[in-house]
């Protein structure tokens, strides 16, 4: 499913890895730090935001 997002947003491997890194950091800091569970839907939403951030830079 995550690879489908890479294709949909037409990302390079480097951009996709950076977006995944941002997503992981966000989840670790904001979710795990406050003992909240992250659903698949939430993960994809966070990843889409990260992709938009990476594409702007």
């Amino acid at each position: 499913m995550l690879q489908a997002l890479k294709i949909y947003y037409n990302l390079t491997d480097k951009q996709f890895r950076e977006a995944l890194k941002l997503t992981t950091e966000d989840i670790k800091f904001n979710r795990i730090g406050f003992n909240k569970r992250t659903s698949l839907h939430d993960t994809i939403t966070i990843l889409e935001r990260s992709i938009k951030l990476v594409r702007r830079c």
Side-chain angles (χ1 to χ4, degrees):
M1 183 180 292
L2 299 179
Q3 289 294 332
L5 285 174
K6 177 183 173 188
I7 294 168
Y8 178 77
Y9 285 104
N10 195 24
L11 299 171
T12 65
D13 286 337
K14 183 178 178 182
Q15 288 174 320
F16 189 63
R17 281 192 304 265
E18 185 65 28
L20 287 175
K21 180 181 172 188
L22 288 171
T23 302
T24 302
E25 290 172 358
D26 182 87
I27 290 171
K28 283 181 182 178
F29 182 78
N30 293 314
R31 301 294 180 140
I32 295 173
F34 295 106
N35 293 323
K36 292 184 178 179
R37 295 188 143 240
T38 307
S39 68
L40 180 60
H41 182 306
D42 291 337
T43 302
I44 291 172
T45 301
I46 296 167
L47 179 58
E48 287 178 329
R49 290 180 189 155
S50 297
I51 287 171
K52 290 175 185 175
L53 243 171
V54 168
R55 291 185 80 188
R56 286 185 194 154
C57 296

